[in-house]
């Protein structure tokens, strides 16, 4: 039988590094944290004081701060609890930088409370997101540029440092697993084994690492039901990697945004807009082992483009002329143009498929997901 997956997701508050705080909703649209809800832990203060002339000095170097400020401003984002926007950051830093720098070097800087907002989840429900002040984002970015490649995420780094001990424990037990940041899938042979592993991993996280398991995101289920990082598995005895259904839906939604105004643009411009999306998606999902879904995706994109073209032709007489120009005989062209059917039906009908086959789209430079993945796999 196919393996059973144990999906483990941790609360992202790293209790070993940061003191645990609780978000307190305030009256009004945007809840906020309490005033003492985002203080630097004692360990961080001690560490900051230990090396004021080395690491922190590099963090506060003018060149590093300029890059950090440019990154924060370019990322835009909403204001934090203090209401300051990214456009106001430069003037604020110019006025108060001596005070901020002195506090940072002395280890006496305390981040402000974060503004908590609820954002929708793709599968329904909401998730609470904390928005730091722009000054705190500047300092975080300056620190980030010393610990990770510029622009790299901080959370996966901290997760990997802390959860390396979990990896070693799972390896010691002989489990097959995959983990990225604070999400992990562990594969076992049966549901009973999955329940047992779930309980033992929860005990290990709680007792050894002082971390809390997120029960809402963690579950025991068939491996084909445990999508991970956009991928899923087939239900076969020897499972195959596939693209998760949610990933397909997101791609269609994103392409739909680009294609929505295609009726009023030249086709070549629309293709130029969607090609980077198609190329990037194919690069990420090059490990998928199913061709049929990729063929359907390519066909759907061409269908949408043919529909936009049919709408651009507007009148039946113009549609008949364009069909003849593309190689359809006169009688069939006029019969198809005056059939009274809608744009979506006609763009998927045989006359439009014959008039605009795949080789024409290849000639126009349209990226084929299937061809791109096949080419990437040949290179690998």
């Amino acid at each position: 039988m196919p393996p059973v997956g144990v999906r483990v997701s941790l609360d992202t508050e790293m209790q070993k590094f940061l003191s645990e705080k609780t978000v307190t909703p305030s009256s009004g649209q945007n809840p906020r944290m309490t005033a003492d809800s985002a203080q630097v832990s004692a360990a961080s203060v001690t560490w900051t004081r230990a090396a004021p002339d080395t690491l922190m000095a590099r963090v506060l170097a003018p060149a590093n701060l300029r890059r950090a400020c440019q990154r924060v401003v370019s990322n835009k984002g909403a204001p934090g609890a203090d209401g300051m926007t990214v456009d106001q950051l430069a003037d604020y830093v110019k006025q108060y930088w001596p005070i901020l720098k002195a506090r940072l070097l002395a280890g006496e800087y305390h981040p402000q409370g974060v503004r908590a907002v609820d954002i929708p989840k793709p599968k329904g429900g909401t998730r609470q997101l904390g928005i730091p002040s722009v000054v705190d984002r500047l300092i975080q970015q300056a620190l980030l540029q010393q610990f990770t490649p510029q622009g790299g995420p901080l959370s996966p780094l901290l997760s990997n440092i802390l959860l390396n001990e979990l990896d070693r424990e799972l390896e010691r037990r002989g489990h097959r697993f995959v983990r990225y940041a604070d999400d992990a899938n562990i594969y076992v042979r049966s549901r009973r084994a999955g329940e047992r592993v779930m309980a033992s991993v929860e005990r290990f996280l709680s007792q050894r690492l002082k971390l809390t398991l997120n029960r809402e995101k963690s579950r025991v289920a068939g491996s084909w039901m445990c999508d991970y990082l956009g991928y899923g598995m087939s239900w076969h005895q020897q499972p195959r990697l596939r693209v998760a259904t949610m990933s397909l839906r997101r791609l269609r939604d994103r392409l739909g945004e680009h294609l929505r105004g295609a009726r009023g643009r030249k086709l070549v411009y629309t293709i130029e807009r969607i090609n980077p999306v198609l190329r990037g998606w194919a690069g990420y999902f090059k490990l998928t082992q199913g061709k049929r879904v990729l063929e359907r995706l390519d066909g759907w994109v061409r269908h949408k483009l043919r529909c936009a073209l049919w709408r651009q032709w507007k009148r039946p007489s113009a549609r008949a002329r364009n069909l003849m120009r593309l190689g359809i005989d006169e009688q069939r062209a006029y019969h198809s143009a005056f059939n009274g059917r809608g744009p979506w039906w006609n763009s998927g009908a045989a006359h439009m498929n014959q008039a605009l086959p795949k080789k024409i789209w290849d000639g126009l430079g349209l990226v084929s997901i299937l061809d791109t993945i096949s080419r990437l796999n040949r290179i690998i």
Side-chain angles (χ1 to χ4, degrees), residues 27-251:
S27 58
Q29 184 175 2
N30 297 322
R32 300 174 185 269
M33 294 189 77
T34 55
D36 63 343
S37 62
Q39 296 180 351
V40 178
S41 65
S44 297
V45 172
T46 304
W47 172 79
T48 303
R49 287 174 176 163
D53 298 324
T54 54
L55 181 59
M56 185 54 70
R58 293 200 301 271
V59 169
L60 302 181
N64 189 54
L65 285 170
R66 279 195 298 270
R67 289 196 301 271
C69 187
Q70 290 169 358
R71 173 73 65 173
V72 171
V73 173
S74 65
N75 287 342
K76 300 179 180 179
D82 60 358
M84 184 187 300
T85 66
V86 292
D87 296 330
Q88 299 170 316
L89 176 61
D91 291 339
Y92 180 89
V93 170
K94 287 178 183 178
Q95 183 175 356
Y96 294 104
W97 180 243
I99 299 174
L100 288 171
K101 182 177 180 181
R103 288 179 178 175
L104 286 163
L105 289 173
E108 297 173 351
Y109 178 82
H110 293 274
Q112 301 179 45
V114 301
R115 181 166 67 89
V117 296
D118 292 326
I119 60 174
K121 293 182 179 180
K123 294 183 179 180
T126 60
R127 178 179 64 188
Q128 199 165 71
L129 178 69
I131 303 178
S133 69
V134 291
V135 174
D136 288 342
R137 299 208 294 263
L138 170 66
I139 296 169
Q140 290 170 6
Q141 184 63 40
L143 285 164
L144 179 63
Q145 292 171 170
Q146 296 298 322
F147 286 106
T148 62
Q150 187 168 351
L154 183 60
S155 293
L157 174 68
L158 293 179
S159 300
N160 286 333
I161 293 172
L162 183 57
L163 296 176
N164 185 56
E165 193 171 346
L166 173 64
D167 295 345
R168 291 200 300 266
E169 176 66 16
L170 294 175
E171 289 171 353
R172 186 186 67 79
R173 298 182 186 183
H175 289 312
R176 295 184 178 184
F177 69 96
V178 58
R179 180 181 65 79
Y180 178 79
D182 56 358
D183 280 336
N185 275 14
I186 307 168
Y187 299 98
V188 295
R189 292 185 178 276
S190 67
R191 173 171 287 276
R192 185 176 179 181
E195 298 288 355
R196 185 172 62 250
V197 169
M198 174 75 83
S200 65
V201 168
E202 185 171 13
R203 283 196 303 271
F204 177 85
L205 293 170
S206 175
Q207 297 173 9
R208 183 80 66 85
L209 302 182
K210 310 303 180 187
L211 291 173
T212 302
L213 190 72
N214 189 327
R215 274 291 179 179
E216 290 184 1
K217 295 182 179 179
S218 303
R219 60 174 178 162
V220 177
S223 58
W224 63 92
M225 299 172 62
C226 297
D227 295 343
Y228 192 71
L229 298 179
Y231 280 92
M233 287 188 179
S234 68
W235 53 269
H236 300 91
Q237 180 70 26
Q238 295 295 328
R240 304 176 67 189
L241 275 180
R242 59 174 178 80
V243 181
T245 303
M246 184 61 68
S247 302
L248 296 172
R249 188 177 300 126
R250 287 176 179 172
L251 176 64

